[in-house]
Amino acid sequence: MTDFYDALELRDPAQREADLLMALPRQVAHAQSAAPAFAQILKGFDANAVRSREALAKLPVTRKSELLERQKAQRAADAFGGFSAIARGPAMRRVFASPGTIYEPEGAAPDYWRTARALHAAGFRRGDLIHNSFSYHMTPAGAIMDNGAHALGCSVFAAGTGQTEQQLEAIVDLKPDGYAGTPSFLKILVEKADAAGFQLPSLTKAMVSGEAFPPSLRDWLAERGIGAMQCYATADLGLIAYETSAHEGLVLDEGVLLEIVRPGTGDPVPEGEVGEVVVTTFNRDYPLVRFGTGDLSAVLAGPCPTGRTNTRIKGWLGRADQTTKVRGMFVHPGQVAEVTRRFPGIVRARLVVEGEMAQDRMTLKVETDSAEGLTERIAEAVRDVTKLRSEVICVPAGSLPNDGKVIEDARSYK
């Protein structure tokens, strides 16, 4: 197993799916019994019946905004808003805060965020020294990589953020085997080393995350001897997906069940269509069921050329929350979804907002095979749901862009 972290990465896809679905009812039941928030959110649902993706899709999606609101509402009694299944003490090693403010617990399990798998795919091995420039202050980013590195048998220089000159000095002195942090800060470090005439021959690999990692920057780093790969992880869910040496999409982590849903809904989209990433984890300490990340992505067809058999996604393609204000009224993706649900003949819809500020106009473009008699009825539904008027244009199925946008703000703000 020199090229793979463990045998799970080579499972037959059908066996992996069966394993995930077998574990799903128990995890849903655990969330209902151990996390008060999910006792309310999933009230009335039979966990034992959640044995398929179709059954899972009937459960409500809990988005980050809802988690934040529940935490805020319960600050005095429970800062975690009822989502944590563990209490203070040995089971909860640390507590972190993400912007919002959202509080996250860290359980005591080794590699709590499951990032060792991503680091291994990026070429890190036991005995390596990793220069970790993710933040160790309040937010969990530093610990997310730190835990994975230790699980892999690596040593870590806890650099954190800022203090560029001191970090560069440490790289020159300690000669780490690789870097963990944002790609932009790695570029800054390399540029400062060039300007100062320093050589960084030991720095040959990197695990980057936290922001976009364009191919141009990957190539720029490769020209300087650094092979960088990215991973997709969040403070709530841990590792979701990771890049491999094939550089063709991101392979899903073995510990998550991922869905791609239409923004503003909980409805799964066909494979290849862009939608919101929704994840169910099997973390017993923080059991998030159908957690909406707010990020857009899409499933990438076919297996990874490296031999890993898990599903791949295209990576981060934007944000799913496209809420916008039109003539003083907020319009949400969920409202567009409500309109489309009223008309089974609509395949997909896109609300386009145009004009200059204070002179907004809306156009709802709907994909449908039959437009006869629909436009007026759809326009009435838009008025009913949003309290705003909109033109309705019917277009052929498959003609709207596959970019996950439900609301497109095309107004001029000049």
Side-chain angles (χ1 to χ4, degrees), residues 111 115-116 119 128 130 144-156:
D111 195 17
T115 48
L119 288 164
D128 284 349
I130 301 177
I144 287 175
M145 285 299 163
D146 200 283
N147 283 12
H150 290 310
L152 196 57
C154 299
S155 299
V156 177

Side-chain angles (χ1 to χ4, degrees), residues 2 98 114 123 163 193 207 247 261 279-280 305 325 357 405:
T2 56
S98 294
R114 309 179 312 282
Q163 298 178 302
M207 168 54 66
H247 300 302
V261 308
V279 176
T280 297
K325 185 176 281 189
M357 293 302 291
K405 282 190 177 180

Side-chain angles (χ1 to χ4, degrees), residues 230-316:
Q230 61 183 314
C231 73
Y232 173 28
T234 73
D236 321 275
L237 299 162
L239 182 68
I240 298 172
Y242 59 97
E243 192 173 16
T244 71
S245 58
H247 300 302
E248 295 183 12
L250 305 180
V251 177
L252 294 187
D253 176 53
E254 298 294 329
V256 301
L257 197 161
L258 177 139
E259 304 168 89
I260 304 291
V261 308
R262 201 171 306 285
T265 77
D267 305 328
V269 300
E271 183 174 311
E273 185 170 328
V274 177
E276 181 182 7
V277 174
V278 170
V279 176
T280 297
T281 70
F282 295 88
N283 181 342
R284 304 287 286 179
D285 298 338
Y286 203 48
L288 297 178
V289 177
R290 296 205 88 201
F291 187 74
T293 64
D295 295 323
L296 293 175
S297 193
V299 169
L300 189 61
C304 179
T306 63
R308 293 172 175 84
T309 59
N310 208 342
T311 301
R312 295 178 300 160
I313 58 175
K314 292 183 178 180
W316 187 80

Side-chain angles (χ1 to χ4, degrees), residues 48-385:
N48 194 51
V50 187
R51 296 179 175 271
S52 67
R53 286 184 177 268
E54 291 75 20
L56 179 64
K58 294 178 182 178
L59 304 183
V61 172
T62 299
R63 292 185 165 84
K64 189 181 289 281
S65 57
E66 181 181 350
L67 185 150
L68 174 59
E69 289 308 312
R70 283 180 176 268
Q71 285 198 357
K72 285 182 175 179
Q74 299 181 44
R75 285 285 194 247
D78 179 6
F80 300 108
F83 287 95
S84 177
I86 53 176
R88 296 179 185 180
M92 187 184 293
R93 295 202 318 176
R94 286 180 286 196
V95 175
F96 296 100
S98 294
T101 300
I102 296 176
Y103 294 107
E104 297 107 359
E106 178 193 1
D111 195 17
Y112 177 76
W113 282 279
R114 309 179 312 282
T115 48
R117 185 180 306 281
L119 288 164
H120 186 275
F124 290 95
R125 296 293 184 269
R126 176 178 294 274
D128 284 349
L129 173 63
I130 301 177
H131 184 98
N132 187 9
S133 284
F134 279 115
S135 175
Y136 279 82
H137 176 62
M138 297 186 72
T139 64
I144 287 175
M145 285 299 163
D146 200 283
N147 283 12
H150 290 310
L152 196 57
C154 299
S155 299
V156 177
F157 178 70
T161 57
Q163 298 178 302
T164 308
E165 288 75 15
Q166 290 92 329
Q167 293 214 29
L168 186 56
E169 181 182 355
I171 292 174
V172 172
D173 292 342
L174 293 172
K175 299 177 177 57
D177 301 278
Y179 164 94
T182 62
S184 60
F185 189 63
L186 177 56
K187 185 173 187 289
I188 289 171
L189 287 171
V190 174
E191 287 176 332
K192 283 192 173 292
D194 288 344
F198 295 150
Q199 299 297 314
L200 307 176
S202 71
L203 210 61
T204 60
K205 49 202 171 191
M207 168 54 66
V208 300
S209 192
E211 60 188 25
F213 183 43
S216 58
L217 181 51
R218 180 199 314 284
D219 294 342
W220 187 89
L221 290 168
E223 290 169 0
R224 287 152 180 82
I226 303 173
M229 297 187 202
Q230 61 183 314
C231 73
Y232 173 28
T234 73
D236 321 275
L237 299 162
L239 182 68
I240 298 172
Y242 59 97
E243 192 173 16
T244 71
S245 58
H247 300 302
E248 295 183 12
L250 305 180
V251 177
L252 294 187
D253 176 53
E254 298 294 329
V256 301
L257 197 161
L258 177 139
E259 304 168 89
I260 304 291
V261 308
R262 201 171 306 285
T265 77
D267 305 328
V269 300
E271 183 174 311
E273 185 170 328
V274 177
E276 181 182 7
V277 174
V278 170
V279 176
T280 297
T281 70
F282 295 88
N283 181 342
R284 304 287 286 179
D285 298 338
Y286 203 48
L288 297 178
V289 177
R290 296 205 88 201
F291 187 74
T293 64
D295 295 323
L296 293 175
S297 193
V299 169
L300 189 61
C304 179
T306 63
R308 293 172 175 84
T309 59
N310 208 342
T311 301
R312 295 178 300 160
I313 58 175
K314 292 183 178 180
W316 187 80
L317 299 177
R319 292 293 295 170
D321 185 6
Q322 299 149 27
T323 299
T324 189
K325 185 176 281 189
V326 181
R327 295 196 289 276
M329 301 282 287
F330 282 108
V331 181
H332 308 272
Q335 292 174 306
V336 178
E338 171 60 28
V339 171
T340 60
R341 272 195 289 265
R342 298 185 183 187
F343 302 91
I346 296 178
V347 179
R348 192 162 46 169
R350 184 186 190 99
L351 184 68
V352 181
V353 185
E354 298 172 291
E356 298 180 355
M357 293 302 291
Q359 295 182 337
D360 306 327
R361 62 181 184 276
M362 299 195 315
T363 302
L364 183 66
K365 298 180 179 180
V366 296
E367 290 185 0
T368 179
D369 294 325
S370 176
E372 186 175 353
L374 268 181
T375 54
E376 290 186 3
R377 292 165 52 208
I378 295 173
E380 290 175 2
V382 174
R383 285 198 299 273
D384 179 46
V385 173

